[in-house]
Amino acid sequence: LQSRWHRGAVLTGWTRQRVAALVDHTLLKPEATAADIVALVDEAVALGVYAVCVSPSMIDIAAPRCPAGLHLAAVAGFPSGKHVSEVKAREAGLAVAAGAAEIDMVIDVGAALAGDISAVRDDIALVRKAIPGAELKVIVESAALMALGEPALLAAVCRAAEEAGA
């Protein structure tokens, strides 16, 4: 990765360590066990990644194993995004209270596809309000939004996320 061509431009200075430091090492499968989460955190430390991302119910297992510098993230509204906004907000708040420093929430893709950007913005804003001190990232399901061939829809959802505080 030291010097590669990308769309005609040379990328320089990219090392394995620099790339790893941008990655969230994630395990969200429903059958994940406590032992899986312990292994995930151990792998994350060995790889030098930015964060580990787990289901909210696994924070109590991951948090004590995360050394300083390794961020702990959890999801809200995962995987469908079809949760009631207040449920997403509560889930996010509980995850932060348990030790998560970051929340990755899933938007209501159906609302976005229907063009209801206000509903998407309000959903994100409610989660943002529930976790004022935490990082908030938004899973926008770009492939689903782009399936319509409408890049403007993806852009509108991204703007809504930013406006809502993500």
Side-chain angles (χ1 to χ4, degrees):
L1 295 173
Q2 289 286 339
S3 177
R4 300 262 187 207
W5 284 94
H6 177 72
R7 295 183 191 204
V10 176
L11 301 177
T12 57
W14 287 99
T15 64
R16 184 205 157 288
Q17 292 80 13
R18 283 189 65 201
V19 172
L22 301 172
V23 171
D24 287 7
H25 197 44
T26 302
L27 179 58
L28 299 170
K29 63 183 183 178
E31 65 272 18
T33 65
D36 294 332
I37 299 302
V38 168
L40 176 80
V41 175
D42 291 347
E43 289 171 356
V45 171
L47 293 169
V49 299
Y50 175 78
V52 292
C53 183
V54 298
S55 298
S57 62
M58 296 299 212
I59 293 171
D60 62 335
I61 297 161
R65 298 196 63 84
C66 288
L70 179 61
H71 296 84
L72 179 55
V75 290
F78 188 85
S80 71
K82 283 299 199 185
H83 302 66
V84 173
S85 296
E86 291 80 5
V87 171
K88 286 184 198 177
R90 180 76 173 134
E91 183 177 38
L94 288 170
V96 169
E102 173 184 303
I103 297 296
D104 297 359
M105 71 166 285
V106 183
I107 66 163
D108 180 341
V109 178
L113 290 173
D116 194 350
I117 303 304
S118 292
V120 172
R121 184 182 304 104
D122 292 348
D123 185 45
I124 298 166
L126 198 59
V127 173
R128 169 79 278 159
K129 184 178 177 185
I131 56 163
E135 186 75 21
L136 176 60
K137 294 190 322 193
V138 178
I139 301 168
V140 299
E141 299 295 354
S142 57
L145 298 180
M146 290 300 294
L148 294 179
E150 296 285 338
L153 178 59
L154 177 57
V157 168
C158 291
R159 277 192 299 278
E162 183 180 20
E163 291 165 2

